[in-house]
Amino acid sequence: MNEVTITSHAYQSLIEICLRALPEEACGILTGTGTIRRAQPPNVTVTGIQAIRNRSQQPHNRFAFDPKEWIQAYYSMQKNRQSLVGYFHSHPSTMPIPSTADWNGLHAAAHGINYWIVSLQQADKPLIQPYWAENGRFTPLMLTKISI
Ligand SMILES: [Zn+2]
């Protein structure tokens, strides 16, 4: 199984963002270092998390990036010399398994991207499940936390 790495600081920040958004889904981008190549999950380290406001009409079980905040997040990422390595969203009360809405939105990830789901089904034990999304498929990745 392919592996993806996150710093303990980014890990903490991701969990906090998702808890703060409850009972709605949180969403945003994963930034970091590594090369994105086609056709294979890249070897990346997620070092930063940027929350983007969820503008979905059904924010309890869907997410949609606020377009303005999405652009701001993108520029702030570039300013900090970070790369976009993926997207995340949370599942407030279900397992970290892609929902029908997630499958329907998958066409946006045709070129391959990290697609992480944070499950808060057990709020005291948040669960982060990274997937590699490409060609209409979600492939689970193994998550490794590192402290720098
Ligand atoms: Zn979902």
Side-chain angles (χ1 to χ4, degrees), residues 30-47:
L30 309 167
T31 67
T33 54
T35 23
I36 301 272
R37 264 166 296 155
R38 286 196 179 197
Q40 68 178 82
N43 181 17
V44 296
T45 300
V46 174
T47 55

Side-chain angles (χ1 to χ4, degrees), residues 6 10-11 13-21 24-31 46 48-54 62-65 70 73 84-91 102 113-120 128-131:
I6 186 168
Y11 185 98
S13 146
L14 176 57
I15 300 287
E16 277 166 21
I17 286 165
C18 293
L19 286 173
R20 218 181 301 139
E24 299 185 354
E25 287 195 6
C27 57
I29 60 174
L30 309 167
T31 67
V46 174
I49 310 290
Q50 292 239 16
I52 297 174
R53 190 190 302 269
N54 184 355
R62 274 156 210 261
F63 73 97
F65 286 176
W70 175 204
L84 176 70
V85 296
Y87 305 116
F88 75 89
H89 72 285
S90 63
H91 283 181
D102 294 330
I113 193 87
N114 265 278
Y115 191 103
W116 293 18
I117 302 178
V118 182
S119 169
L120 302 171
I128 302 176
Q129 177 60 61
Y131 295 90

Side-chain angles (χ1 to χ4, degrees), residues 1-144:
M1 191 186 276
N2 281 288
E3 193 185 17
V4 61
T5 308
I6 186 168
T7 62
S8 50
H9 183 260
Y11 185 98
Q12 202 52 45
S13 146
L14 176 57
I15 300 287
E16 277 166 21
I17 286 165
C18 293
L19 286 173
R20 218 181 301 139
L22 283 173
E24 299 185 354
E25 287 195 6
C27 57
I29 60 174
L30 309 167
T31 67
T33 54
T35 23
I36 301 272
R37 264 166 296 155
R38 286 196 179 197
Q40 68 178 82
N43 181 17
V44 296
T45 300
V46 174
T47 55
I49 310 290
Q50 292 239 16
I52 297 174
R53 190 190 302 269
N54 184 355
R55 292 301 292 262
S56 169
Q57 301 291 313
Q58 297 157 263
H60 294 85
N61 51 24
R62 274 156 210 261
F63 73 97
F65 286 176
D66 177 271
K68 221 161 134 190
E69 285 199 9
W70 175 204
I71 292 167
Q72 281 167 355
Y74 194 85
Y75 280 120
S76 119
M77 172 191 80
Q78 287 197 318
K79 211 171 68 187
N80 294 312
R81 300 183 182 282
Q82 296 273 298
S83 316
L84 176 70
V85 296
Y87 305 116
F88 75 89
H89 72 285
S90 63
H91 283 181
S93 55
T94 56
M95 294 286 285
I97 294 168
S99 66
T100 309
D102 294 330
W103 282 105
N104 291 341
L106 190 53
H107 60 88
H111 299 320
I113 193 87
N114 265 278
Y115 191 103
W116 293 18
I117 302 178
V118 182
S119 169
L120 302 171
Q121 196 176 32
Q122 289 179 274
D124 55 333
K125 274 188 218 155
L127 212 58
I128 302 176
Q129 177 60 61
Y131 295 90
W132 178 250
E134 187 173 28
N135 291 332
R137 283 202 324 189
F138 289 108
T139 310
L141 303 173
M142 210 175 72
L143 185 63
T144 304

